[in-house]
Amino acid sequence: MDTGQEGNKTKTKNNLSDITSSKDKALPSSSNPVAPAPSPAKPVTSTSTPAKKEPEPPAFEKELVTQLTSQFGDRIKVAFIRPLRMKIEVDPSDLVEIATLIRDTLCFDHAESVAGTDYPKTNQIEVTYHLGSYTKDNLTAHILSLATRTSRDDARLPTLINVYKSVEYHERETFEMLGVYFEGHPRNERFLLPEDWADIPPLRKEFRIKGR
């Protein structure tokens, strides 16, 4: 046999032995490879947001409402007290008495507007009087909302026309648009809708515009 070929075979055999030996050294001594250690679990963070804290009501507005609650107690429910804005809720039977005290004691001397809101789910209509003051400089920017509710089935409330003359047309509009009859008001009659209007009051939630 050619000595050159024998030399090549010997070199090849030696190279294969070296590769096998290096692989054996790289493998761990145990037949089962060691599994990597598990990574530590991440802490579970709560996704719920903390309850929103209501800001402290402004002192001046709070004092105005306190004057009412100190006299009428739980006959007055405070809806909110905010800068320049307050809202209280009363029963219809207390409406005239509390409105009179607001006018005479707190000096909210006129009604800027009257608004009505229909709540079919609770079968109620809310009427809100937005009261302001012309006579007190420190009240001219303030609005005191006086709200009450009546049943949708027999929507009747006492009028405040003898306390605030400015409610005359606002109460008429509420009568026309929501069907709230104001007992003692001299003109529970429409002045915006056509005289032959025969449908339900258009601001009640079940009213639908024809063709839509």
PDB file of all heavy atoms in Angstrom, residues 194-207:
ATOM      1  N   PRO A 194     -97.889  73.995  18.827  1.00  0.00           N
ATOM      2  CA  PRO A 194     -99.134  74.387  18.148  1.00  0.00           C
ATOM      3  C   PRO A 194    -100.346  74.145  19.048  1.00  0.00           C
ATOM      4  O   PRO A 194    -100.334  73.257  19.906  1.00  0.00           O
ATOM      5  CB  PRO A 194     -99.170  73.473  16.912  1.00  0.00           C
ATOM      6  CG  PRO A 194     -97.763  73.010  16.719  1.00  0.00           C
ATOM      7  CD  PRO A 194     -97.143  72.973  18.068  1.00  0.00           C
ATOM      8  N   GLU A 195    -101.390  74.931  18.845  1.00  0.00           N
ATOM      9  CA  GLU A 195    -102.594  74.809  19.664  1.00  0.00           C
ATOM     10  C   GLU A 195    -103.263  73.453  19.499  1.00  0.00           C
ATOM     11  O   GLU A 195    -103.946  72.970  20.403  1.00  0.00           O
ATOM     12  CB  GLU A 195    -103.580  75.933  19.312  1.00  0.00           C
ATOM     13  CG  GLU A 195    -103.153  77.299  19.808  1.00  0.00           C
ATOM     14  CD  GLU A 195    -103.071  77.358  21.309  1.00  0.00           C
ATOM     15  OE1 GLU A 195    -103.881  76.689  21.989  1.00  0.00           O
ATOM     16  OE2 GLU A 195    -102.176  78.052  21.833  1.00  0.00           O
ATOM     17  N   ASP A 196    -103.083  72.830  18.335  1.00  0.00           N
ATOM     18  CA  ASP A 196    -103.729  71.535  18.089  1.00  0.00           C
ATOM     19  C   ASP A 196    -102.815  70.356  18.444  1.00  0.00           C
ATOM     20  O   ASP A 196    -103.053  69.228  18.005  1.00  0.00           O
ATOM     21  CB  ASP A 196    -104.166  71.434  16.615  1.00  0.00           C
ATOM     22  CG  ASP A 196    -102.998  71.565  15.638  1.00  0.00           C
ATOM     23  OD1 ASP A 196    -101.879  71.924  16.098  1.00  0.00           O
ATOM     24  OD2 ASP A 196    -103.195  71.329  14.435  1.00  0.00           O
ATOM     25  N   TRP A 197    -101.762  70.616  19.222  1.00  0.00           N
ATOM     26  CA  TRP A 197    -100.850  69.524  19.619  1.00  0.00           C
ATOM     27  C   TRP A 197    -101.629  68.482  20.415  1.00  0.00           C
ATOM     28  O   TRP A 197    -102.253  68.779  21.417  1.00  0.00           O
ATOM     29  CB  TRP A 197     -99.709  70.076  20.468  1.00  0.00           C
ATOM     30  CG  TRP A 197     -98.722  69.026  20.911  1.00  0.00           C
ATOM     31  CD1 TRP A 197     -98.725  68.325  22.068  1.00  0.00           C
ATOM     32  CD2 TRP A 197     -97.587  68.574  20.185  1.00  0.00           C
ATOM     33  NE1 TRP A 197     -97.668  67.467  22.132  1.00  0.00           N
ATOM     34  CE2 TRP A 197     -96.938  67.581  20.978  1.00  0.00           C
ATOM     35  CE3 TRP A 197     -97.035  68.900  18.938  1.00  0.00           C
ATOM     36  CZ2 TRP A 197     -95.787  66.935  20.569  1.00  0.00           C
ATOM     37  CZ3 TRP A 197     -95.892  68.236  18.530  1.00  0.00           C
ATOM     38  CH2 TRP A 197     -95.271  67.272  19.340  1.00  0.00           C
ATOM     39  N   ALA A 198    -101.573  67.234  19.926  1.00  0.00           N
ATOM     40  CA  ALA A 198    -102.337  66.163  20.579  1.00  0.00           C
ATOM     41  C   ALA A 198    -101.451  64.992  20.979  1.00  0.00           C
ATOM     42  O   ALA A 198    -101.966  63.944  21.388  1.00  0.00           O
ATOM     43  CB  ALA A 198    -103.449  65.684  19.655  1.00  0.00           C
ATOM     44  N   ASP A 199    -100.153  65.141  20.854  1.00  0.00           N
ATOM     45  CA  ASP A 199     -99.229  64.061  21.206  1.00  0.00           C
ATOM     46  C   ASP A 199     -98.783  64.222  22.665  1.00  0.00           C
ATOM     47  O   ASP A 199     -99.168  65.169  23.341  1.00  0.00           O
ATOM     48  CB  ASP A 199     -98.013  64.088  20.279  1.00  0.00           C
ATOM     49  CG  ASP A 199     -97.415  62.702  20.064  1.00  0.00           C
ATOM     50  OD1 ASP A 199     -97.534  61.873  20.976  1.00  0.00           O
ATOM     51  OD2 ASP A 199     -96.833  62.465  18.983  1.00  0.00           O
ATOM     52  N   ILE A 200     -97.947  63.276  23.134  1.00  0.00           N
ATOM     53  CA  ILE A 200     -97.424  63.359  24.500  1.00  0.00           C
ATOM     54  C   ILE A 200     -96.422  64.508  24.584  1.00  0.00           C
ATOM     55  O   ILE A 200     -95.918  64.978  23.551  1.00  0.00           O
ATOM     56  CB  ILE A 200     -96.764  62.034  24.919  1.00  0.00           C
ATOM     57  CG1 ILE A 200     -95.578  61.718  24.008  1.00  0.00           C
ATOM     58  CG2 ILE A 200     -97.770  60.902  24.925  1.00  0.00           C
ATOM     59  CD1 ILE A 200     -94.821  60.484  24.399  1.00  0.00           C
ATOM     60  N   PRO A 201     -96.109  65.006  25.766  1.00  0.00           N
ATOM     61  CA  PRO A 201     -95.116  66.081  25.896  1.00  0.00           C
ATOM     62  C   PRO A 201     -93.796  65.699  25.231  1.00  0.00           C
ATOM     63  O   PRO A 201     -93.267  64.607  25.457  1.00  0.00           O
ATOM     64  CB  PRO A 201     -94.964  66.241  27.412  1.00  0.00           C
ATOM     65  CG  PRO A 201     -96.275  65.791  27.967  1.00  0.00           C
ATOM     66  CD  PRO A 201     -96.712  64.669  27.082  1.00  0.00           C
ATOM     67  N   PRO A 202     -93.232  66.567  24.416  1.00  0.00           N
ATOM     68  CA  PRO A 202     -92.091  66.179  23.567  1.00  0.00           C
ATOM     69  C   PRO A 202     -90.778  65.932  24.296  1.00  0.00           C
ATOM     70  O   PRO A 202     -89.856  65.358  23.707  1.00  0.00           O
ATOM     71  CB  PRO A 202     -91.950  67.368  22.602  1.00  0.00           C
ATOM     72  CG  PRO A 202     -92.643  68.501  23.261  1.00  0.00           C
ATOM     73  CD  PRO A 202     -93.735  67.907  24.083  1.00  0.00           C
ATOM     74  N   LEU A 203     -90.640  66.333  25.559  1.00  0.00           N
ATOM     75  CA  LEU A 203     -89.401  66.050  26.284  1.00  0.00           C
ATOM     76  C   LEU A 203     -89.500  64.809  27.164  1.00  0.00           C
ATOM     77  O   LEU A 203     -88.547  64.479  27.880  1.00  0.00           O
ATOM     78  CB  LEU A 203     -88.985  67.259  27.136  1.00  0.00           C
ATOM     79  CG  LEU A 203     -88.488  68.463  26.358  1.00  0.00           C
ATOM     80  CD1 LEU A 203     -87.969  69.541  27.304  1.00  0.00           C
ATOM     81  CD2 LEU A 203     -87.402  68.096  25.343  1.00  0.00           C
ATOM     82  N   ARG A 204     -90.610  64.109  27.092  1.00  0.00           N
ATOM     83  CA  ARG A 204     -90.671  62.801  27.765  1.00  0.00           C
ATOM     84  C   ARG A 204     -89.928  61.786  26.918  1.00  0.00           C
ATOM     85  O   ARG A 204     -89.969  61.817  25.689  1.00  0.00           O
ATOM     86  CB  ARG A 204     -92.114  62.380  27.986  1.00  0.00           C
ATOM     87  CG  ARG A 204     -92.820  63.248  29.023  1.00  0.00           C
ATOM     88  CD  ARG A 204     -93.764  62.440  29.849  1.00  0.00           C
ATOM     89  NE  ARG A 204     -94.454  63.246  30.863  1.00  0.00           N
ATOM     90  CZ  ARG A 204     -95.279  62.743  31.745  1.00  0.00           C
ATOM     91  NH1 ARG A 204     -95.546  61.424  31.763  1.00  0.00           N
ATOM     92  NH2 ARG A 204     -95.855  63.508  32.649  1.00  0.00           N
ATOM     93  N   LYS A 205     -89.269  60.854  27.598  1.00  0.00           N
ATOM     94  CA  LYS A 205     -88.328  59.970  26.905  1.00  0.00           C
ATOM     95  C   LYS A 205     -88.994  59.030  25.903  1.00  0.00           C
ATOM     96  O   LYS A 205     -88.340  58.552  24.988  1.00  0.00           O
ATOM     97  CB  LYS A 205     -87.545  59.148  27.945  1.00  0.00           C
ATOM     98  CG  LYS A 205     -86.661  59.982  28.850  1.00  0.00           C
ATOM     99  CD  LYS A 205     -85.545  60.647  28.080  1.00  0.00           C
ATOM    100  CE  LYS A 205     -84.649  61.511  28.969  1.00  0.00           C
ATOM    101  NZ  LYS A 205     -83.915  60.761  29.987  1.00  0.00           N
ATOM    102  N   GLU A 206     -90.288  58.755  26.042  1.00  0.00           N
ATOM    103  CA  GLU A 206     -90.910  57.838  25.101  1.00  0.00           C
ATOM    104  C   GLU A 206     -91.383  58.520  23.840  1.00  0.00           C
ATOM    105  O   GLU A 206     -91.869  57.879  22.905  1.00  0.00           O
ATOM    106  CB  GLU A 206     -92.084  57.083  25.747  1.00  0.00           C
ATOM    107  CG  GLU A 206     -93.279  57.967  26.117  1.00  0.00           C
ATOM    108  CD  GLU A 206     -93.212  58.383  27.562  1.00  0.00           C
ATOM    109  OE1 GLU A 206     -92.102  58.673  28.045  1.00  0.00           O
ATOM    110  OE2 GLU A 206     -94.261  58.427  28.221  1.00  0.00           O
ATOM    111  N   PHE A 207     -91.233  59.855  23.779  1.00  0.00           N
ATOM    112  CA  PHE A 207     -91.640  60.576  22.574  1.00  0.00           C
ATOM    113  C   PHE A 207     -90.664  60.267  21.446  1.00  0.00           C
ATOM    114  O   PHE A 207     -89.449  60.265  21.621  1.00  0.00           O
ATOM    115  CB  PHE A 207     -91.657  62.084  22.842  1.00  0.00           C
ATOM    116  CG  PHE A 207     -92.026  62.906  21.628  1.00  0.00           C
ATOM    117  CD1 PHE A 207     -93.335  63.053  21.241  1.00  0.00           C
ATOM    118  CD2 PHE A 207     -91.038  63.530  20.868  1.00  0.00           C
ATOM    119  CE1 PHE A 207     -93.675  63.797  20.138  1.00  0.00           C
ATOM    120  CE2 PHE A 207     -91.373  64.280  19.752  1.00  0.00           C
ATOM    121  CZ  PHE A 207     -92.678  64.417  19.390  1.00  0.00           C
TER     122      PHE A 207
END
